[in-house]
Amino acid sequence: MSIGKNDRDLQDRTFWIANEDEIRKAETTDVYFLYTLQVLEKKGLDPRVIMEVYLRNLPYSDSWAIVSGIYEVAKLLEGLPLNVRAMEEGEVFLVSPGSVAYEPVIQIEGRYRDFAKYENPILGLVCLSSGISSKAARVKMCAMDKVVFSFGTRRSHPALAPTIERATYIGGFDSVSNVLGARMMGKKPVGTMPHALIQCFGDQKIAWKSFDETMPKDVPRIALVDTFSDEKTEAIMAFEALGDRLYGVRLDTPRSRRGDWRKIIEEVKWELKIRGAGKVKIFISGGLDESTVTELRDLVDGFGVGTGVSNAPTLDFSAKVVELMVDDRDIFRAKRGDIAGRKEVYRAKDRFDDIVTFYRNPKPKGYYPLLSYLIRDGKIVRKFKGLNEIRESVLSKLKILKESKPALRWV
Ligand code: PCP
């Protein structure tokens, strides 16, 4: 098929994505930043500014979210003559739509022309990742002690797979199914079997037995039990086929057959139990979100969550100048609807009781600052935590959030 003469095909690349070099040079910026740079250059204007990245509204009723993508922002801005302060990767930040105050997650100080065009990729890196981490955290909070696996990269552009999986893990998910995503995180991917495997054999038992004969010992024998017959029938068949080698069953019940899914799962548990297979684990997948996880967490051992998290609503952070330094004078100049001046965010040592204040105000007693240097004079100065440590920290914070209502105020 020939590409129409006015259509750009992919002459110079294989996939329609930006490469790392283009991202690093902010070539994915919006053209109005280039217009701005031309105007400022022509007029000889290049003020030092303070820009803050913050979120005013969440796509959820809660008042908390997880910020992630900070590591990539550091890599993006490294080498530019800037000072950047930011929250830690995986930090819980608070949002208070009713209040004039907000919690900046990133604060950039430098000559505006040095980073103007980076606003687009900075926001892109934190909006997508934080949206996924926050949704993953909400699902994990609902799952309580049950495992949650990320199965959703198939529903996004493959270029994003590793960042999606990293974001779900930061949000508290236990493992991920994407092979490259897992490898980049130094993890082993998890997964079971697709319906296609069973369809290729045309016989569930032969398919499950072939899986068992072929897979290495460390791959759990989890039989998908909803391909041709109902879940109860196939769960019994799977136990008949694999006996004690059957580790678990996965119900990926199509919505057209779901009806009372809870009842179907109970039937499966009953039939396995009376046959001495009560230890067989039950996993479910397919269109899961916070409500289905909450509804079924008492019945199942784990969840495979895909689209609901991999395509979670993005968090629409804004990036706004709040202060300029001209001739050694601080000029407080916020956009209408924002509040001027560089801010500090303090959190009480043992609870989600946050204070946002003008940075020159004294630190409140018993509180610690959430913003710290990420980059100083263009050099990355943060020692990044490992993903396991970030995830554990998120999980411990989710426990507190489950028990207490966070508060954000300004002084
Ligand atoms: C889906 C596939 C994904 C699961 C469900 C995530 O089943 O197993 O891992 O679904 P979600 O995105 O709706 O949360 P199918 O689409 O039936 O694919 P397969 O036969 O390959 O399991």
Side-chain angles (χ1 to χ4, degrees), residues 151-152 154-155 177 192-196 199 224 250 252 255 285-288 304-308 310:
F151 278 5
R154 61 173 54 201
R155 299 272 157 65
S177 64
T192 61
M193 59 182 69
H195 293 101
Q199 290 168 288
L224 182 60
R250 175 163 76 100
D252 188 51
R255 256 65 40 115
S285 63
L288 302 184
V305 180
T307 316
S310 62

